[in-house]
């Protein structure tokens, strides 16, 4: 794309990042803010960040001075008259944004594109009062803008394809990935990101595991950069609780997005997270206080262990437990400890279905690689002696163990199946293309895999089994599988397979 003249209205946290991104991509940038002094400060900030590239040898002094010539702080909105595109990043208030878009239409040419960086408003609502809604779209960046290499181009119902194209090319010209999404609650990234929070909170609500266990299993055992409780503490529960409530309301109380009743009392008590010194964790300044850890019990001797022959990780578990000194037995009735590995089922039902004595049964999550972390789940009746023996055996080689109460799908299975199912439903609803869903989640949420490809890695049939197990046990419609998933599993094809009429 040839350099264009770009206006940025709103010179706060997002506006200054947007100025930096497009200035360093070689566009002419005009920045305006209603607060006196805010625009020059943002331009100074953006140029300061770009200037670091000169110090680090990534940018020549000549290129930097060309960029500097191209960036202007404007004292009035009328100075945006020659802009080809204007990106709005002002306060998140529908009326204020509507008024701004009307005012902008009076300033720019009829051909100029107007884009809003809104996170939660409906773009059609912002465009409603405009004379030319076809040139209005959403352009949703993530914080910090230069580092988060994805932007959502939101095509509202009246947005023209040409407007979408212009914004996609603009985003690509700055080296970011543009993903196109429908004007639906949470757009793509915040919609796809619901599963981690809702299921994490549900696991806590059911007393399955502590916030630290949930976070550790997901971070160390599954590959998330942060677990849901760490993320909530970072963002602040005051902010996150509003997003959770707003998406649930906007989706007409879709059970998949039902917020947890654990949240409101914590917000009322001021347990917002890092910013108030206490959230799901306690903090000393910026440092998280380590939660108390229990010492691993002594390794038992002379123990016979039976492992369910149908367990998907049977051989790895057998090697691990034998290496820790356990004798492997073939007869569950005479074993001191029985180990099962359900997919989508809990330990108690699995014990009952296999005719085992539940006091001697534990379950180990087959989804979490044994080399990374082990989730040890108890039946409702597992004895303390059996729990401690299993814990010591599983921890003997130094790999950490999380001990949790009974739950269909442990921690990892529940959370991943929920994430895959929500992504499948985003695809089913045509909110975005499969490729855009995958890239947006990797780049916008930092997940190690796109959600549908992740479902394929685990196995679509397994994901379905987990969801059906959770739905059968809890009766909660939040776990009902998306038709997208059900059909692709029935046909034995990848979850990335697009709808035939759209392919
Ligand atoms: N902060 C984030 O992490 C984030 C991420 C994605 C999207 N967003 C969205 O981006 C937008 C801006 O967020 P922010 O965090 O940068 O806000 P901010 O409060 O840091 O900055 C907003 C700026 O807009 C200016 N402003 C307010 N009303 C104005 C008007 N009528 N005309 C001109 N300037 C005006 C303010 O003076 C302020 O400088 C919001 O819509 C927000 O929802 C924020």
């Amino acid at each position: 794309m040839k350099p264009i003249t770009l206006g940025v209205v709103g010179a706060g946290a997002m506006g200054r990042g947007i100025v930096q991104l497009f200035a360093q991509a070689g566009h002419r940038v005009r920045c305006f803010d209603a607060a006196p002094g805010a625009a020059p400060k943002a331009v100074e900030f953006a140029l300061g960040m770009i200037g670091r590239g000169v110090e680090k040898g990534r940018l020549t002094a000549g290129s930097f001075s060309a960029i500097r010539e191209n960036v202007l702080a404007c004292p009035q909105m009328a100075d945006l008259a020659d802009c080809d595109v204007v990106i709005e990043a002002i306060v998140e208030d529908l009326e204020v944004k509507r008024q701004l878009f009307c005012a902008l239409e009076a300033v720019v040419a009829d051909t100029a594109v107007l884009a809003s960086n809104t996170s939660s408003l409906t773009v059609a609502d912002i465009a409603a009062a405009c004379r030319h809604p076809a040139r209005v779209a959403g352009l949703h960046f993530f914080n910090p803008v230069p580092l988060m290499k994805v932007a959502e181009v939101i095509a509202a119902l009246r947005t023209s394809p040409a407007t979408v194209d212009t914004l996609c090319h603009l985003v690509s010209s700055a080296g970011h990935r543009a993903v196109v999404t429908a004007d639906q609650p949470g757009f793509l990234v915040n919609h796809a990101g619901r599963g981690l929070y809702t299921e994490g909170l549900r696991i806590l609500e059911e007393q399955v595991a502590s916030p630290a266990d949930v976070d550790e299993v997901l971070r160390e055992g599954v590959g998330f950069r942060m677990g849901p409780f760490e993320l909530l503490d970072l963002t602040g529960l005051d902010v996150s609780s509003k997003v959770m409530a707003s998406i649930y309301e906007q989706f007409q109380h879709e059970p998949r997005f039902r917020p947890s009743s654990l949240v409101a009392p914590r917000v009322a008590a001021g347990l917002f997270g890092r910013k108030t010194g206490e959230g799901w964790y306690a903090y000393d300044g910026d440092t998280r206080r380590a939660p108390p850890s229990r010492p691993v019990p002594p390794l038992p001797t002379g123990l016979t262990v039976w492992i369910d022959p149908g367990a998907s990780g049977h051989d790895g578990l057998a090697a691990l437990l034998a290496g820790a000194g356990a004798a492997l037995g073939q007869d569950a009735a005479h074993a001191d400890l029985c180990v099962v590995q359900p997919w989508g089922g809990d330990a108690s039902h699995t014990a009952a279905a296999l005719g085992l004595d539940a006091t001697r049964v534990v379950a180990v999550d087959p989804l979490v690689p044994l080399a990374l972390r082990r989730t040890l789940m108890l039946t409702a009746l597992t004895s303390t002696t059996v729990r401690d023996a299993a814990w010591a055996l599983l921890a003997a080689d130094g790999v950490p163990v999380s001990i949790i109460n009974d739950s269909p799908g442990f921690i990892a299975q529940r959370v991943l199946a929920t994430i895959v199912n929500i992504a499948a439903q985003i695809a089913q609803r045509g909110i975005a293309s499969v490729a855009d869903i995958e890239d947006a989640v990797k780049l916008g949420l930092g997940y190690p895999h796109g959600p549908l490809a992740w479902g394929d890695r685990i196995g679509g049939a397994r994901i379905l089994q987990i969801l059906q197990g959770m739905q059968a046990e809890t009766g909660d419609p939040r776990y009902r599988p998306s038709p997208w998933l059900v059909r692709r599993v029935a046909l034995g094809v990848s979850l990335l397979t697009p709808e035939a009429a759209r392919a």
Side-chain angles (χ1 to χ4, degrees):
M1 180 187 215
K2 285 194 196 140
I4 63 161
T5 303
L6 180 78
V8 178
V9 182
M14 297 305 286
R16 66 187 189 180
I18 297 169
V19 170
Q20 180 189 336
L21 180 73
F22 290 109
Q24 66 196 7
H27 296 290
R28 293 174 293 278
V29 182
R30 316 255 183 273
C31 178
F32 168 73
D33 194 289
K41 214 166 129 200
V43 167
E44 191 187 320
F45 171 86
L47 289 174
M49 295 301 283
I50 298 170
R52 286 192 192 174
V54 181
E55 289 157 30
K56 292 185 178 155
R58 285 199 305 259
L59 191 71
T60 64
S63 310
F64 179 57
S65 82
I67 288 172
R68 201 167 39 200
E69 300 274 294
N70 268 338
V71 188
L72 277 182
C74 301
Q76 2 179 17
M77 203 194 302
D79 298 330
L80 305 179
D82 65 342
C83 286
D84 303 298
V85 174
V86 178
I87 302 172
E88 165 274 312
I90 65 166
V91 59
E92 186 78 342
D93 178 306
L94 178 60
E95 256 331 294
V96 182
K97 284 195 198 283
R98 267 192 183 158
Q99 281 171 21
L100 176 76
F101 274 70
C102 287
L104 278 170
E105 275 202 314
V107 165
V108 297
D110 278 357
T111 50
V113 164
L114 304 179
S116 172
N117 190 47
T118 181
S119 329
S120 62
L121 301 172
T122 301
V123 175
D125 245 348
I126 298 172
C130 287
R131 277 187 291 119
H132 303 298
R135 47 113 147 236
V136 179
L139 183 56
H140 187 217
F141 287 95
F142 298 85
N143 197 9
V145 177
L147 299 183
M148 297 293 292
K149 297 201 164 289
V150 62
E152 296 173 321
V153 176
I154 298 122
L157 287 172
R158 290 184 184 276
T159 307
S160 71
T163 300
V164 171
D165 271 2
T166 302
L167 293 175
C168 286
H169 284 122
L170 179 64
V171 168
S172 310
S173 74
H176 274 32
R177 170 79 161 86
V179 293
V180 179
T181 154
D183 193 12
Q184 285 287 295
F187 309 128
L188 177 45
V189 171
N190 285 339
H191 184 169
R194 289 304 88 209
L196 184 63
Y197 300 108
T198 52
E199 204 51 28
L201 283 160
R202 182 49 64 104
I203 288 168
L204 184 66
E205 235 175 70
E206 291 171 10
Q207 293 293 304
V208 174
S210 68
D213 281 325
V214 173
D215 286 342
E216 280 159 8
V217 166
L218 294 175
R219 189 164 21 79
E220 295 172 17
V222 177
F224 288 95
R225 280 188 200 152
M226 291 177 116
F229 298 101
E230 291 161 338
L231 276 166
L232 288 169
D233 269 5
L234 185 69
T235 313
L237 201 59
D238 52 334
V239 175
S240 302
S241 61
K242 288 187 191 133
V243 179
M244 294 190 237
S246 142
I247 291 193
Y248 179 59
E249 290 303 322
Q250 291 183 72
F251 270 117
Q252 313 296 328
H253 294 194
E254 159 60 55
R256 292 190 182 101
F257 306 122
R258 192 190 314 126
S260 169
S261 62
L262 293 180
V263 169
R266 300 184 73 88
V267 172
L271 302 177
F272 296 168
R274 284 174 182 267
K275 62 173 129 174
T276 55
E278 190 175 355
W280 304 102
Y281 299 98
Y283 297 86
D284 294 315
D286 278 345
T287 315
R288 188 169 111 195
R289 243 180 268 162
S293 65
R294 289 188 292 173
V296 179
L299 202 57
T301 50
L303 207 79
T304 305
V305 179
W306 174 89
I307 304 169
D308 176 10
S312 45
H314 179 279
D315 293 354
L317 266 179
L320 177 69
L321 297 172
L328 302 177
Q330 305 295 318
D331 180 7
H334 294 101
D336 302 297
L337 169 66
C338 298
V339 185
V340 295
Q341 288 208 296
W343 286 97
D346 69 12
S348 301
H349 278 91
T350 310
L354 294 172
L356 304 172
D357 168 8
T359 62
R360 289 183 285 115
V361 173
V362 298
V364 175
D365 191 346
L367 180 56
V368 178
L370 286 175
L372 299 177
R373 195 166 187 101
R374 289 138 201 184
T375 315
L376 174 62
M377 186 165 79
L378 312 177
T379 72
L381 295 178
T382 305
S383 76
T384 316
T385 320
V386 165
R387 177 200 70 192
D388 286 354
W391 179 6
L393 288 169
L394 287 169
D397 61 357
V399 173
V401 177
S402 298
I403 303 171
I404 66 169
N405 283 321
D406 211 359
S407 149
F410 300 80
I411 294 171
Q413 290 183 29
R414 285 180 71 153
V415 170
L416 284 180
T418 301
I419 288 170
V420 173
N421 197 36
I422 289 175
Q425 191 59 10
I426 292 176
Q428 186 65 69
R429 298 188 55 174
I431 289 174
S433 71
V434 164
D436 283 2
I437 294 170
E438 296 296 281
D439 284 352
V441 166
K442 283 187 281 182
L443 294 166
L445 298 172
Y447 293 2
H449 312 287
L452 298 171
W454 211 344
D456 278 347
R457 288 168 85 102
I458 296 164
R462 286 262 192 249
I463 297 289
L464 185 58
Q465 184 184 0
I466 297 165
L467 291 166
Q468 287 170 336
M470 295 197 292
Q471 195 184 11
E473 185 151 334
T474 64
D476 193 327
R478 71 197 287 127
Y479 298 119
R480 69 199 192 286
S482 163
W484 180 278
L485 173 69
V486 177
R487 291 191 191 110
R488 280 151 188 77
V489 171
L491 295 173
V493 298
S494 161
L495 301 184
L496 297 162
T497 311
E499 291 288 65
R502 287 168 60 92

